[in-house]
Amino acid sequence: MPRRSRRFVWMLVVAVFAWASLLCAAENEEAVPPKKELVAVLHVTTTGLNGESKDYAVENDMIAAINTAGHRGVSMAETDKFLKSAEGADYTQCVSVECTARAGAKMGVRYVVSGSIIRVNGNTKINLTLIHTREKRKVADDRQSLEKGQPLAAALESGMARLLKQMRPKPKPIVVPDIPRPGYETAEQRKAKEERFYKGNLTTIGPLEIIPRDNRVGVVTGYRRLAFTHYVHVEPQVDLRFFPDDVTKESNLRLGFGIPLNLEIFAGEDRNNDENIDKWDNAGIPRKEDWDSWRDYFQLIRYIQYGRKEDNLYVNINRTYSASVGHGLVMKRYIPNLDYFTTRVSAEVDAYSRYGGGELYIGDITRYNLIGGLLFLKPGSFFSDNWMAESLSFGVHYTTDWDAPESVLANRANDDGSYIYDSAAAHFVGADVELKVVKWPVNRPEVDVKTYFDFTNWVGNGSGFALGALGRFNLYTEIRQAFRARVEFRGYQDNYTPSYFDPFYEIMKYKWFSQSRPATSKTATATDIKTKYTEFSNRPGDWKHFGAYLEFSYALLDYVGLTIAFDEASGSDNGNFLFHVEVPATKYFQIAATYYKVNVNSAKNVFDPTSDNTMLIALARLRPIQLLAFQFGIRKTLQPSVYRYFPNLESVWDLKADLDISWEF
């Protein structure tokens, strides 16, 4: 036989032998009796069973089925003891497979059976799930429907038998791993998002930048118009993501840095007072106001964020986002960077546990002039495992601006147009109580409603209170949906105003304005400028303002978000309106827009974007290919007048159009 033929025959014999060995191994594996496993019954919800579910009767039937199948079932006494212990307290309200698996692992079992039994009009639906605790995955489901009169115990026994047969691991086929492509979610990630109860803010109000979703390194360059001067904007940027969640793969730590430079092109104003427009005199020169203080170097930080709002630990250091503290009676959606003369890097830290927690906000980490803090305690958590008792909390809060402008002088501090002012300290102290009144269903909430009462005093001035309710609703659909609604009844004295630190504060603190008292004035500079501090501190302390605050948010999570808010109270110029929409649907196209109206007294003024008491921030990011993205933005706010009308304000439209040359990974 030729040498090549002999080699072929030997290869064929070896292949046949290997294939036969695999078949025998598989056949022998089927003949191996199943291993005796330790199994727990955990988080089984029952509805409409009346006495049949008393004293863990359903769970005990399931444990009996586990023992009948040759395994060892953990008694409900042991399970109950674990959930009431300090180690198991965090797992009493699990709604996800991962959370239930972790609870089972803490109990020392390999498998957990969870599910629900619902009876309506005599018909019963049984949904059982077998979970592998070490692999944190669902092994199998068993679903049954019983007509009226059919015995529940027998159905549970047969359903458990079918589930437990799925314990034996199946041979893993040799396949190419299913590696998710960038920008796409695996089925497990989607499932984790579907099972999570979203209770934090559903939208990001007033962002000054659209943050890319992935790691990124590049340069942003484009056009800026600040007042009457035109610039080329150049900013090297880097975005980094670390510590992805075990299941969702969302990064817990997000970092962003940049070096913003504005190179002047053309100036349509006379800044050196030589009675001539500057025009091209400073073309190519960086805008000095961007880097005229050691504090400006902190603007290298775009954001440093760990966790998300209402996580057990949340840290956010940034120059991009708005912030609120507590229920927002003192600080609500405060935006640090509305003026062009200073870039403030703010810091927000939230931390809480089952027993209490707190919030801390610093408006500018280089000055510490604006600080807000909240501490709360949940005394019921020390004595009870009941969800309502645990939700009862008592809090105290304090917010201050110890450098609040009290009076503004008519001359400028320097050529950048900033104000000279005499300052005073504004201190706000208060207390609140909060109680959750609805949580349904308990193990996998779809509806969560809490009520609260908040009282605040502006030290040396007036006070205000809010009696409110916050409802949070989740729809467990394939594309997850969430709703958030807030309603408040408010009352306050004439020398107090709710949400003193609002989106307009960094402008309004120099000159208070409203629909009936415009911010813009072309009168002489000797005109008396009344700051926000002076406007309210000089008023009488009559309890004359009572009204309501309404807010509604909706999110088709990861696709679109919407927020509408409105408040009104007796008296004039006490209405405010907010509309926000964002579309973060893909990393290839994102938009965000915020429209805010302050101190209105008639509905006809609400939708007039040209009036002084209007803020508009609109952003869009389009990324057609890997190395190229386009960013567009428009911002309408108020700034100190650059002409002879100073120290009055004037409306300013800030435009930007950027080319983003970067690599995302």
Side-chain angles (χ1 to χ4, degrees):
M1 182 181 291
R3 186 175 182 180
R4 183 175 298 177
S5 300
R6 288 198 304 269
R7 184 183 301 171
F8 174 79
V9 170
W10 277 112
M11 291 176 62
L12 183 61
V13 170
V14 171
V16 171
F17 179 78
W19 179 251
S21 299
L22 288 173
L23 290 177
C24 291
E27 184 176 351
N28 290 334
E29 184 181 45
E30 292 295 326
V32 174
K35 181 182 177 182
K36 182 179 287 188
E37 299 286 2
L38 189 61
V39 185
V41 176
L42 192 62
H43 300 143
V44 176
T45 61
T46 59
T47 304
L49 297 186
N50 300 324
E52 291 185 62
S53 60
K54 187 178 180 181
D55 298 328
Y56 297 120
V58 171
E59 288 87 346
N60 288 330
D61 285 344
M62 297 169 66
I63 293 170
I66 293 171
N67 296 327
T68 300
H71 300 286
R72 292 179 296 155
V74 179
S75 70
M76 288 308 299
E78 294 179 65
T79 300
D80 197 47
K81 181 179 178 181
F82 166 75
L83 293 175
K84 290 181 178 179
S85 68
E87 188 178 25
D90 293 334
Y91 302 101
T92 57
Q93 299 177 7
C94 286
V95 297
S96 67
V97 170
E98 182 185 14
C99 179
T100 303
R102 287 176 178 172
K106 291 285 186 180
M107 294 175 65
V109 303
R110 187 184 295 268
Y111 291 95
V112 169
V113 178
S114 182
S116 64
I117 303 172
I118 302 172
R119 179 174 293 167
V120 179
N121 297 327
N123 298 319
T124 306
K125 289 188 176 181
I126 304 174
N127 298 315
L128 302 178
T129 300
L130 181 65
I131 299 171
H132 196 296
T133 61
R134 295 182 183 178
E135 298 177 3
K136 296 183 178 65
R137 65 178 177 88
K138 179 173 66 176
V139 177
D141 284 321
D142 188 84
R143 304 179 188 275
Q144 299 182 71
S145 295
L146 306 182
E147 295 182 358
K148 190 173 183 179
Q150 288 186 276
L152 177 62
L156 285 174
E157 184 178 0
S158 62
M160 290 293 295
R162 287 189 294 270
L163 272 183
L164 299 174
K165 286 181 179 179
Q166 305 300 318
M167 284 184 176
R168 187 184 304 130
K170 297 180 180 179
K172 295 183 178 180
I174 302 174
V175 296
V176 177
D178 180 18
I179 302 174
R181 291 174 290 168
Y184 291 83
E185 295 178 326
T186 65
E188 189 178 16
Q189 294 169 23
R190 286 194 298 272
K191 181 66 174 176
K193 288 187 176 183
E194 289 171 14
E195 294 188 346
R196 176 182 297 172
F197 184 83
Y198 288 80
K199 58 182 181 178
N201 293 327
L202 301 180
T203 58
T204 303
I205 306 296
L208 302 181
E209 176 185 2
I210 291 181
I211 303 298
R213 299 171 64 172
D214 299 326
N215 295 296
R216 169 177 160 273
V217 177
V219 177
V220 173
T221 180
Y223 166 76
R224 296 286 189 280
R225 190 189 77 185
L226 308 181
F228 299 95
T229 304
H230 307 265
Y231 298 89
V232 171
H233 177 78
V234 179
E235 182 173 0
Q237 293 183 347
V238 59
D239 298 89
L240 301 173
R241 308 288 180 262
F242 299 99
F243 308 124
D245 185 271
D246 291 340
V247 176
T248 66
K249 306 306 178 184
E250 295 177 357
S251 300
N252 288 309
L253 178 62
R254 306 166 73 225
L255 307 177
F257 303 95
I259 307 174
L261 300 171
N262 292 304
L263 308 179
E264 185 171 317
I265 305 173
F266 178 87
E269 56 184 304
D270 176 17
R271 291 174 298 184
N272 56 10
N273 298 317
D274 63 357
E275 299 185 355
N276 293 310
I277 301 299
D278 292 350
K279 296 184 178 180
W280 309 96
D281 293 352
N282 299 311
I285 298 176
R287 184 175 182 269
K288 65 178 181 179
E289 294 85 358
D290 293 336
W291 302 95
D292 60 355
S293 168
W294 64 269
R295 293 183 172 90
D296 291 327
Y297 289 90
F298 280 81
Q299 68 182 307
L300 297 174
I301 301 173
R302 291 167 51 228
Y303 60 91
I304 300 175
Q305 179 179 334
Y306 180 84
R308 281 157 183 77
K309 193 72 172 176
E310 297 200 28
D311 281 357
N312 292 92
L313 177 61
Y314 170 69
V315 179
N316 195 354
I317 302 171
N318 72 90
R319 54 177 164 96
T320 302
Y321 303 112
S322 61
S324 302
V325 174
H327 301 125
L329 193 58
V330 179
M331 180 184 292
K332 195 174 191 71
R333 304 188 184 102
Y334 164 72
I335 300 178
N337 294 311
L338 273 184
D339 68 89
Y340 303 134
F341 308 121
T342 307
T343 298
R344 300 172 183 85
V345 177
S346 62
E348 183 176 6
V349 179
D350 298 354
Y352 78 92
S353 69
R354 178 185 177 187
Y355 305 101
E359 299 179 25
L360 175 65
Y361 179 79
I362 302 173
D364 186 339
I365 61 177
T366 68
R367 289 181 173 84
Y368 297 95
N369 63 300
L370 198 159
I371 301 174
L374 164 70
L375 292 174
F376 65 91
L377 181 68
K378 296 182 175 182
S381 299
F382 294 93
F383 311 106
S384 174
D385 294 326
N386 179 269
W387 61 266
M388 182 177 288
E390 286 184 340
S391 73
L392 178 64
S393 69
F394 298 90
V396 293
H397 54 85
Y398 169 74
T399 309
T400 183
D401 183 354
W402 54 260
D403 191 32
E406 184 177 20
S407 61
V408 171
L409 305 183
N411 56 316
R412 303 173 189 260
N414 48 50
D415 292 339
D416 70 2
S418 58
Y419 287 111
I420 298 176
Y421 59 89
D422 295 323
S423 65
H427 303 285
F428 297 81
V429 295
D432 61 80
V433 59
E434 185 176 287
L435 177 67
K436 187 175 295 184
V437 294
V438 177
K439 184 177 182 180
W440 179 87
V442 174
N443 289 338
R444 195 191 191 201
E446 297 178 17
V447 180
D448 182 299
V449 179
K450 63 181 179 180
T451 58
Y452 57 89
F453 178 79
D454 199 329
F455 181 86
T456 300
N457 173 253
W458 180 358
V459 178
N461 292 286
S463 301
F465 69 85
L467 177 63
L470 172 63
R472 297 171 292 193
F473 312 90
N474 279 221
L475 298 181
Y476 295 93
T477 53
E478 183 175 352
I479 300 178
R480 186 66 175 281
Q481 301 178 72
F483 303 85
R484 183 181 172 99
R486 183 191 297 267
V487 58
E488 286 182 0
F489 171 73
R490 292 175 170 180
Y492 53 96
Q493 293 173 270
D494 202 27
N495 55 347
Y496 178 89
T497 182
S499 304
Y500 185 88
F501 302 101
D502 64 357
F504 262 120
Y505 178 73
E506 285 302 328
I507 296 298
M508 197 177 287
K509 69 180 183 180
Y510 298 113
K511 180 180 180 180
W512 187 84
F513 54 86
S514 66
Q515 181 178 340
S516 59
R517 286 172 52 185
T520 311
S521 176
K522 297 183 179 180
T523 57
T525 56
T527 301
D528 180 40
I529 301 299
K530 189 172 286 189
T531 66
K532 188 170 187 177
Y533 179 95
T534 303
E535 170 66 28
F536 289 98
S537 61
N538 287 347
R539 291 182 179 184
D542 301 330
W543 284 91
K544 58 188 298 186
H545 303 294
F546 298 92
Y549 173 80
L550 303 173
E551 177 185 323
F552 175 79
S553 294
Y554 167 78
L556 194 62
L557 293 170
D558 294 331
Y559 289 90
V560 64
L562 173 72
T563 294
I564 300 175
F566 178 77
D567 64 282
E568 179 64 276
S570 53
S572 61
D573 296 333
N574 287 322
N576 301 284
F577 176 78
L578 169 75
F579 177 79
H580 174 83
V581 62
E582 60 188 56
V583 182
T586 71
K587 64 181 181 180
Y588 301 104
F589 179 66
Q590 299 162 274
I591 64 172
T594 300
Y595 178 84
Y596 181 66
K597 204 79 171 183
V598 65
N599 296 339
V600 299
N601 57 25
S602 63
K604 67 179 182 180
N605 182 256
V606 167
F607 299 103
D608 178 12
T610 62
S611 59
D612 292 343
N613 56 334
T614 304
M615 177 193 302
L616 174 64
I617 300 173
L619 303 168
R621 186 173 191 266
L622 175 65
R623 180 173 174 261
I625 59 176
Q626 169 62 275
L627 290 173
L628 187 65
F630 301 96
Q631 300 186 38
F632 307 96
I634 183 170
R635 179 170 60 170
K636 191 269 183 189
T637 58
L638 288 157
Q639 299 297 330
S641 174
V642 296
Y643 283 130
R644 57 184 176 274
Y645 312 128
F646 187 91
N648 287 288
L649 301 170
E650 60 183 324
S651 294
V652 175
W653 290 86
D654 169 20
L655 306 175
K656 77 171 185 176
D658 293 341
L659 178 66
D660 182 355
I661 304 173
S662 60
W663 180 264
E664 297 188 17
F665 54 97

